[in-house]
Amino acid sequence: MKLAHLADLHFGRENRDALSAAAGIIRELDVDAIVVSGDLTQRGKREEFQAAQEWLSKFSAPVLSIPGNHDTPLLNLPARAADAFGRYERYFGGLTRPLQLDGVSIRGLNTSRGWQARMNWAEGSVNLDDLDAAIGPPDACEGEVRIVACHHPFQSPEKASLQTATRRGAEASARLAASPVQILLTGHVHTPHAELIREPQGRYIAITAGTLSTRLRAQPPAFNIISIQDGIAVLNVQSFEGGRFHEATHGSWDIERVEPIRTPRVVEMSKK
């Protein structure tokens, strides 16, 4: 099982060379699904949504996409307040459905808001009822890999140049750790990152994708390839430098125990 995990495409400020090269890698790897963790557009304009829709339509793999804070009408405040994601739904509403693959369940969660009662509307907010729905029933098939995808990290990645504060993020993190979900896929900070989040209630793997736009924050354009095989999840980050992508392994985990594994097991798996 191979998943392409993208975020922050920002059509309107997209990096066309990186997008073209990324499309080639995704097709070459014949991924089983594509997950987009928000910010498909820069200002939520129709032409930006159309460009994002056209790019994603090139792939035969199923796509799950959730909105980011940039996918609202940036300059239309009444629309942001009354129908923040109406335009997004018209273009991508069909891609917000859960994906049920062979032994892998992926569900989306909208952490973005059109407006908030705080200064920075770009920050995320978790509706805990929506999170429970994304987590799903606890009695899922035994051995199933369960993934939740959203735009904002519940806990801000320490190494990201952009630090973020997601409302109810601490409670969401604890609730996710106590659930059967093993992996959280996010974006927003434009920095590839992976870490094991340990809470008193349990643990989960937090994976953040970079950006494929020109809106860089100390890191080159990047996206993730996540491989799941024989109970092992491996994160390979594709970073765009010198006109092409370079691959590097950023982590590997035993899915059942939700624990990191040693590098030799990754090497052994890659030789199969």
Side-chain angles (χ1 to χ4, degrees):
M1 178 72 65
K2 285 188 176 68
L3 308 176
H5 174 219
L6 319 172
D8 301 280
L9 308 180
H10 287 289
F11 274 88
R13 288 282 304 275
E14 73 275 18
N15 186 317
R16 295 183 181 181
D17 291 339
L19 282 170
S20 178
I25 291 174
I26 292 170
R27 283 193 291 263
E28 181 181 351
L29 291 176
D30 192 23
V31 300
D32 297 280
I34 299 170
V35 179
V36 186
S37 284
D39 277 3
L40 285 83
T41 69
Q42 174 62 17
R43 292 192 170 189
K45 294 181 177 180
R46 291 181 180 85
E47 56 267 31
E48 294 171 352
F49 280 118
Q50 290 167 357
Q53 184 183 59
E54 180 180 354
W55 189 78
L56 285 172
S57 69
K58 298 176 181 178
F59 304 109
S60 58
V63 177
L64 185 149
S65 173
I66 47 89
N69 52 280
H70 277 263
D71 296 320
T72 62
L74 181 66
L75 301 179
N76 189 333
L77 295 183
R80 289 186 69 169
D83 189 21
F85 300 102
R87 187 172 294 170
Y88 178 91
E89 289 293 329
R90 286 193 289 276
Y91 286 94
F92 293 104
L95 301 183
T96 60
R97 68 197 184 286
L99 292 182
Q100 190 67 44
L101 308 172
D102 184 16
V104 177
S105 172
I106 312 173
R107 294 170 178 251
L109 170 70
N110 185 2
T111 57
S112 302
R113 300 292 182 263
W115 69 278
Q116 299 184 62
R118 55 175 169 169
M119 291 295 295
N120 190 351
W121 293 1
E123 298 283 21
S125 179
V126 179
N127 180 305
L128 296 175
D129 290 336
D130 290 346
L131 174 61
D132 287 342
I135 289 171
D139 56 346
C141 297
E142 185 177 352
E144 182 178 66
V145 178
R146 299 175 71 167
I147 300 172
V148 168
C150 61
H151 183 58
H152 298 86
F154 292 170
Q155 296 188 14
S156 191
E158 292 183 2
K159 296 181 180 180
S161 58
L162 173 67
Q163 293 295 295
T164 187
T166 299
R167 178 170 287 169
R168 289 181 289 276
E171 186 172 352
S173 181
R175 193 170 295 198
L176 192 73
S179 79
V181 173
Q182 299 104 330
I183 300 174
L184 177 68
L185 302 179
T186 65
H188 187 61
V189 296
H190 294 204
T191 302
H193 181 78
E195 64 179 304
L196 183 66
I197 303 296
R198 300 177 186 269
E199 301 277 8
Q201 302 86 344
R203 64 194 70 180
Y204 63 92
I205 305 158
I207 297 176
T208 302
T211 179
L212 290 175
S213 74
T214 59
R215 301 181 73 249
L216 304 178
R217 299 192 182 103
Q219 297 288 335
F223 72 101
N224 298 332
I225 296 292
I226 301 168
S227 301
I228 301 171
Q229 178 182 334
D230 298 333
I232 298 172
V234 179
L235 169 63
N236 287 319
V237 175
Q238 303 278 349
S239 299
F240 190 72
E241 297 181 277
R244 66 187 184 92
F245 278 99
H246 304 265
E247 182 180 88
T249 300
H250 277 221
S252 56
W253 303 268
D254 183 304
I255 288 293
E256 183 177 356
R257 296 187 299 115
V258 195
E259 283 284 1
I261 61 175
R262 295 179 300 172
T263 301
R265 292 190 67 187
V266 182
V267 174
E268 291 169 5
M269 187 181 72
S270 68
K271 292 180 179 178
K272 291 183 179 180

